[in-house]
Amino acid sequence: MKLLTCNFLSCPLKSCRSSPLSFPLHFKDAELAQDTELEYNSEVLDNLLKRVEWDALVVSAGEIGFVGLEKPQVLLDEDEEEEEDDEDEDDDDDEGMEVDAMGNSGKKGGSVKKGGNGKVSEEEKLRDEEVRRKLWEVVMQTQVVSGKLVCKCCGYEFEIREGIVNFLLPGHLV
């Protein structure tokens, strides 16, 4: 089971559904394995970051030994803006010229240069890439092979065997 999966799970017991303590489930006695065959993919990571409950991810990662997980600072919009800038540099012909309301002409899709605070420095970009790769390692390449997921609300322990969580409840809890 990937650490990412835990970010989408809560306790299935009826008595826990309304309690905020039922999410996230907490790891206990977790045995880990690394899946290094899965190569880093920034687009997949960007899509995941839109859906992840960050605080719960940090808690879960800390419980299995990844303490101090940092949130990436470069936003998806800034990445898209960089791609547009690269496309403009590659396209040097006069095709695609447009005139704005003030009568100024310029290339379509060109971006306005931002002031000193608007641009991200190369050092920040490199640091963010480092953070993203570490995050990829934690959420996509780290697997919990065995252990337990524990609900903080009711204390029930769901066993993990061979990477699969057993959410089948005994009859008296259904």
Side-chain angles (χ1 to χ4, degrees):
M1 154 180 177
K2 293 190 186 307
L3 176 64
L4 178 65
T5 306
C6 187
N7 197 260
F8 300 103
L9 299 175
S10 63
C11 185
L13 291 172
K14 287 181 185 179
S15 61
C16 295
R17 288 185 186 157
S18 61
S19 173
L21 294 175
S22 67
F23 177 81
L25 295 174
H26 299 275
F27 287 103
K28 180 179 176 184
D29 303 327
E31 182 182 319
L32 306 178
Q34 288 295 113
D35 178 15
T36 55
E37 291 180 17
L38 192 57
E39 292 183 28
Y40 174 73
N41 185 326
S42 64
E43 289 179 29
V44 170
L45 185 61
D46 290 343
N47 286 326
L48 289 175
L49 289 175
K50 292 177 189 176
R51 294 164 176 82
V52 166
E53 177 64 42
W54 183 256
D55 294 335
L57 180 65
V58 171
V59 167
S60 297
E63 291 170 347
I64 61 172
F66 292 97
V67 180
L69 196 60
E70 296 179 46
K71 190 173 188 177
Q73 297 300 312
V74 176
L75 302 174
L76 298 175
D77 294 339
E78 292 173 344
D79 290 342
E80 290 172 10
E81 188 175 301
E82 269 184 36
E83 289 173 12
E84 289 176 6
D85 287 342
D86 290 343
E87 288 173 12
D88 287 344
E89 289 173 11
D90 293 339
D91 188 15
D92 290 334
D93 61 358
D94 290 339
E95 234 178 86
M97 294 294 280
E98 64 180 9
V99 178
D100 65 12
M102 300 297 288
N104 300 320
S105 64
K107 288 195 182 237
K108 280 186 180 177
S111 62
V112 177
K113 295 283 181 192
K114 292 183 178 180
N117 293 340
K119 283 288 182 182
V120 178
S121 73
E122 284 300 314
E123 185 178 308
E124 288 171 329
K125 288 179 187 176
L126 290 173
R127 176 69 184 133
D128 188 63
E129 184 65 20
E130 225 177 88
V131 169
R132 286 168 164 266
R133 287 185 180 273
K134 180 64 175 177
L135 187 58
W136 179 265
E137 177 189 338
V138 172
V139 298
M140 295 301 292
Q141 293 181 331
T142 302
Q143 295 195 33
V144 179
V145 180
S146 66
K148 295 176 181 163
L149 283 176
V150 181
C151 175
K152 239 184 183 173
C153 182
C154 66
Y156 194 81
E157 297 181 351
F158 301 94
E159 192 168 350
I160 303 170
R161 272 195 222 151
E162 297 179 20
I164 300 171
V165 184
N166 182 0
F167 279 111
L168 294 175
L169 298 170
H172 69 282
L173 292 176
V174 178

